[in-house]
Amino acid sequence: MKRTHPTPLVALGLAGLVVGFLAELAATAWSSPILVPPFTLPLALVLIAVILVGLAWPIRQATRGRSTRRVDPFRAMRVALLAKASSLSGALLLGVGLGIVAFILTRSVVPAVTSLWLAIGMALGAVILLAGGLVAEHFCTLPPGDDHDQENEGPHNGGAARA
C-alpha cells in the first residue's frame, strides 16, 4: 500500500467544497431549510481520530523496536487501511464543511449564527480526522532500512545445505 499523497486529498476537499455549496444552494432554491450539521458530528470525528491513533500506536512501538510484542501483519494492514480511509473522508468532510461556511457567509441575509458555528465545528473536526488518519498511516509504516535482509537468515532451498 502506498502512502497517501496530497493530490487526492486536495481533489476530495475541492469536490466536497463544491458539493457542500451546491447542496445548500439547491436547498434554498427549493425553499427547504439549509443543511446544518449536527453538533455531535465534530465530536464523533475527533473521537474516531483519537481511536485510530490509539490503534496505530502499538504498531509504531513494535516497528520502531520499543516493544517486544510481535505485530500481526493483518491487524497492521487493517489499521493502515482505516487510516487511509479516514484521511480521505476527512478531506471530503472538510470540503463539505467549508462549502457550507462559504454558502452561509455569501448570503445577504445571514441564517442563524448557530448554523455557522456548527459548520465551522464540522470543518475543524474533519481537519482533526484528516490529521489523525495521516498520523496513524505514518505509524503503520516500516522505518527506512528495515527490509528484513534474507541473506543473513541461512539457506533458502528447503533447509538443505549446499555441499
Side-chain angles (χ1 to χ4, degrees):
M1 184 176 97
K2 293 184 180 182
R3 301 269 315 259
T4 304
H5 293 285
T7 306
L9 296 176
V10 171
L12 282 171
L14 290 175
L17 183 108
V18 169
V19 167
F21 190 85
L22 291 179
E24 295 289 356
L25 194 61
T28 55
W30 293 335
S31 300
S32 299
I34 62 171
L35 305 171
V36 179
F39 72 93
T40 56
L41 182 61
L43 300 174
L45 295 176
V46 170
L47 183 65
I48 291 169
V50 168
I51 290 171
L52 182 60
V53 171
L55 288 172
W57 183 252
I59 297 168
R60 176 184 168 81
Q61 293 294 85
T63 57
R64 300 299 191 260
R66 295 186 184 114
S67 174
T68 58
R69 287 186 49 201
R70 189 171 184 278
V71 176
D72 179 20
F74 294 111
R75 179 176 182 240
M77 183 52 103
R78 286 182 196 118
V79 173
L81 286 174
L82 181 62
K84 188 170 190 111
S86 295
S87 63
L88 294 174
S89 61
L92 184 65
L93 288 172
L94 172 63
V96 170
L98 291 178
I100 294 172
V101 169
F103 177 79
I104 291 172
L105 292 178
T106 57
R107 299 296 99 191
S108 59
V109 177
V110 179
V113 177
T114 310
S115 59
L116 177 65
W117 287 113
L118 289 173
I120 291 172
M122 175 186 170
L124 291 176
V127 165
I128 293 172
L129 180 64
L130 173 64
L134 291 175
V135 167
E137 187 179 345
H138 176 71
F139 283 178
C140 292
T141 57
L142 289 174
D146 193 20
D147 294 336
H148 298 294
D149 294 331
Q150 295 182 357
E151 298 169 291
N152 300 329
E153 294 180 10
H156 297 290
N157 55 357
R162 291 188 176 193

